[in-house]
Amino acid sequence: MLARAVAHISASALSDNLSALSARAGVPLLLPVKADAYGHGLGLVARVAAQHPGVWGMAVASPQEAAQLAALNTGKPILLLTPPMSAEVGPLADLGVRLPVASLAEAEALPAHARAHLKVDTGMNRLGARPAEAVGIGQRLAERGLLEGAYTHFASADEPDLSFAHTQLERFQGVLGQLPPVLAHASNGGGILSLGRIPGMGLARPGLASYGFAPPHLRSVLPLTPVMTLRARITHIHTAYPGESVSYGGLWYAQQETVVATVGMGYADGYPRNATLRASVLVAGERRPTLGRICMDQMMVDVSGLEVAVGDWVQLWGPHDLTVSDVAEWGGTIEYEVLTGLGARVERAGVE
Ligand SMILES: *Cc1c(COP(=O)(O)O)cnc(C)c1O
């Protein structure tokens, strides 16, 4: 059967973004591929990362993701970013997955063939050990020969005010100073763009930036290209006459004869329903408004005056004119949520 929507994933855009981010960070990358590689498709992204000289390894958010990625045999290290349940520790270590450690009990419970990254909570207050406790945990891991890395996570490195990021960094560097040398990592994409190279760091973890997006005030720092282009098919074309409404709830009425294309993409596919009455799409390269409510599986678009036929593709977002950033703004959300919310019905296809 033919997919109604296809996300094209550009290997060259991803590869160029990774090169630019690694160069700016001055270190290799631990590429976050959680949430199906931010919706881009784990397999497609892992294939590019596996070949990329600037990528040290990949980071995931759940043990299932770790196991899926391990099964792809990329040859690159995998770090789990969240605490496993104790029953998962052994199987993950057997797969070679690097584990986050944030307590002495966890450090003691690791099997002898495990590799650990000490997780330090410097202010995000989500995961990790407080700096004062982290030192002893790291020293114990080092004694056991299991300490490969240490990391922390910035709470606001993607915001204009970097004072808290600097505070977090000082706390982290204070811990690192009391440990033997390890692969240290702190920066997410915001951190790389705003802080650049950080002394003492061995890796960086840009997620959203790798997929081509930066916060508005950091967009001029590096030329990043959105990796995903999303297209959906026109499934039906008809005319709406003056006074008729289109879609649920009568939010939009035709004031003149309007040619309406129904497109096979809706909120069940991840297109934000809250973008109703604000969203446009590209039809034959031209921005055209959606009409009325975004539905679960479909949306309607004004294609008056355009040469289009059933089966043609419209573009929902892409690297240039109309981006995920626009759609996120229309939907009252952020690029992260739009990308990771892309539904399972949307086919992912790799392109050069
Ligand atoms: C998701 C995540 C990242 C990547 O963050 P971006 O803002 O997408 O760059 C980095 N580190 C950790 C611990 C994360 O959970």
Side-chain angles (χ1 to χ4, degrees):
M1 301 301 151
L2 302 173
R4 291 308 184 245
V6 178
H8 293 276
I9 307 304
S10 166
S12 57
L14 176 60
S15 183
D16 291 351
N17 294 341
L18 295 172
S19 300
L21 287 159
S22 175
R24 176 155 174 91
V27 292
L29 305 179
L30 176 52
L31 175 66
V33 293
K34 55 194 181 185
D36 202 26
Y38 286 50
H40 292 65
L42 179 63
L44 292 172
V45 168
R47 200 173 306 152
V48 175
Q51 308 285 331
H52 198 289
V55 174
W56 175 83
M58 285 167 263
V60 295
S62 79
Q64 289 105 321
E65 291 176 337
Q68 278 167 21
L69 182 53
L72 297 177
N73 285 312
T74 65
K76 300 221 175 181
I78 301 166
L79 173 66
L80 175 62
L81 294 168
T82 64
M85 300 295 137
S86 51
E88 294 166 326
V89 169
L92 286 166
D94 294 346
L95 290 171
V97 174
R98 276 70 171 168
L99 296 169
V101 173
S103 73
L104 266 180
E106 287 166 20
E108 298 297 352
L110 284 186
H113 63 293
R115 268 168 289 199
H117 286 226
L118 174 67
K119 176 68 198 281
V120 187
D121 184 357
T122 57
M124 176 73 176
N125 259 307
R126 183 171 68 176
L127 290 174
R130 299 274 167 148
E133 287 114 49
V135 173
I137 301 164
Q139 287 168 348
R140 180 66 191 129
L141 286 167
E143 263 170 37
R144 293 196 61 205
L146 310 180
L147 184 63
E148 179 179 63
Y151 71 111
T152 194
H153 189 51
F154 291 129
S156 49
D158 53 355
E159 280 166 31
D161 180 354
L162 292 173
S163 49
F164 192 56
H166 285 292
T167 299
Q168 288 191 268
L169 197 52
E170 277 165 32
R171 291 173 182 163
F172 187 46
Q173 284 167 330
V175 172
L176 294 176
Q178 299 173 72
L179 297 177
V182 290
L183 263 181
H185 41 110
S187 275
N188 52 4
I192 294 175
L193 294 170
S194 60
L195 302 169
R197 187 185 294 252
I198 301 174
M201 297 302 128
L203 299 171
R205 307 185 306 269
L208 190 69
S210 301
Y211 303 103
F213 297 93
H217 71 287
L218 294 171
R219 280 184 192 154
S220 58
V221 175
L222 281 185
L224 299 172
T225 306
V227 169
M228 183 190 295
T229 299
L230 178 65
R231 299 193 178 91
R233 281 181 196 278
I234 295 175
T235 57
H236 179 71
I237 295 173
H238 69 282
T239 301
Y241 294 94
E244 292 180 355
S245 65
V246 169
S247 194
Y248 291 116
L251 300 185
W252 184 87
Y253 281 83
Q255 301 195 342
Q256 59 211 27
E257 255 185 54
T258 304
V259 184
V260 179
T262 302
V263 172
M265 175 88 194
Y267 62 78
D269 301 298
Y271 200 94
R273 182 173 177 273
N274 281 338
T276 288
L277 298 184
R278 284 188 285 272
S280 291
V281 305
L282 291 176
V283 187
E286 210 177 284
R287 266 196 198 218
R288 286 306 183 96
T290 59
L291 304 173
R293 271 253 180 264
I294 308 281
C295 305
M296 184 186 293
D297 318 300
Q298 306 172 86
M299 62 174 70
M300 277 64 82
V301 176
D302 182 348
V303 294
S304 303
L306 296 176
E307 291 264 329
V308 290
V310 167
D312 287 357
W313 297 95
V314 307
Q315 187 165 310
L316 287 311
W317 60 65
H320 306 301
D321 181 25
L322 195 168
T323 67
V324 173
S325 306
D326 298 313
V327 175
E329 195 178 314
W330 295 330
T333 181
I334 55 176
E335 291 99 338
Y336 295 84
E337 194 178 33
V338 174
L339 286 169
T340 60
L342 201 63
R345 292 188 301 203
V346 179
E347 184 180 314
R348 275 70 165 175
V351 295
E352 208 6 69

